[in-house]
Amino acid sequence: MSSKQKVVTTSVQFDESNPNLVLVALGDIHHGHINTDYNLLKRDIATIARNPRWVVVLMGDLIQAWSLKHRLYNPSHHAPYLHGKTGVIRHQAKALVNDLKPIKKQIIGVLSGNHETTCHDEDDVNVYQDILDDLDLNDKALGSAGFLSIQHMTQFANSKGQGGRFNI
């Protein structure tokens, strides 16, 4: 394992009446791009929020922003909410965070993609860290590569009515 790889361990609670766990990989959102389907994103987030047994790993490329110095950067590709704005990288991150708030507690891991990394390396804007901070998910940070360990927990009651928990 390289020094950039990290292991995040998380516990997921469930009861015996609903032991299923659904892992949702949500990435390549490219928030801030003119062709991002924001209605679909909001529907997906609403669906995830309605299903507490669903957990999410954010897979990177969460925002569109290339470095403002990058050869592929083109302001004509900005989503309408960015038109006329300065600081478009941070505006994208803030809009993404607002969209993700309904599922914040279901996010169990966050990877950084090349779009977030390029902003940090070329513009010194650590948008990945901004997203982690704004969602209070620093303990879920996986960086550009990492491992996720999920402990599936259940509650039980013994014959005396005393509860407990154990790992599966």
Side-chain angles (χ1 to χ4, degrees):
M1 183 165 40
S2 79
S3 62
K4 290 194 174 214
Q5 292 177 325
K6 184 177 175 185
V7 177
V8 171
T9 301
T10 190
S11 296
V12 178
Q13 194 74 32
F14 77 99
D15 61 49
E16 292 178 12
S17 67
N18 186 7
N20 298 318
L21 178 72
V22 175
L23 179 62
V24 178
L26 184 60
D28 287 305
I29 295 170
H30 295 275
H31 212 292
H33 193 275
I34 194 168
N35 291 329
T36 296
D37 189 338
Y38 296 98
N39 290 325
L40 176 61
L41 176 63
K42 289 179 185 200
R43 283 195 309 267
D44 287 348
I45 288 170
T47 300
I48 294 166
R50 282 192 307 272
N51 290 284
R53 299 297 310 126
W54 292 17
V55 294
V56 177
V57 176
L58 298 176
M59 302 294 292
D61 288 353
L62 304 172
I63 62 166
Q64 174 58 26
W66 285 99
S67 160
L68 302 179
K69 301 170 189 170
H70 195 278
R71 65 179 174 78
L72 294 177
Y73 176 73
N74 185 341
S76 70
H77 295 165
H78 288 172
Y81 76 86
L82 293 170
H83 291 173
K85 304 267 188 192
T86 58
V88 295
I89 295 172
R90 288 211 163 92
H91 278 291
Q92 289 175 62
K94 294 289 184 194
L96 172 76
V97 165
N98 284 335
D99 284 348
L100 293 175
K101 281 182 181 176
I103 60 170
K104 173 187 155 182
K105 291 183 179 176
Q106 291 168 270
I107 299 171
I108 62 171
V110 184
L111 286 161
S112 176
N114 65 310
H115 288 247
E116 293 84 15
T117 302
T118 301
C119 291
H120 183 248
D121 293 347
E122 295 183 15
D123 287 313
D124 201 29
V125 177
N126 194 342
V127 69
Y128 175 69
Q129 189 62 55
D130 291 346
I131 293 166
L132 292 169
D133 289 344
D134 290 349
L135 288 169
D136 193 26
L137 294 174
N138 283 290
D139 60 332
K140 309 300 183 199
L142 292 163
S144 60
F147 296 92
L148 188 60
S149 171
I150 301 172
Q151 298 176 352
H152 214 167
M153 309 286 282
T154 189
Q155 291 189 345
F156 66 92
N158 63 22
S159 61
K160 296 180 183 177
Q162 298 168 320
R165 39 176 31 189
F166 62 91
N167 290 335
I168 294 180

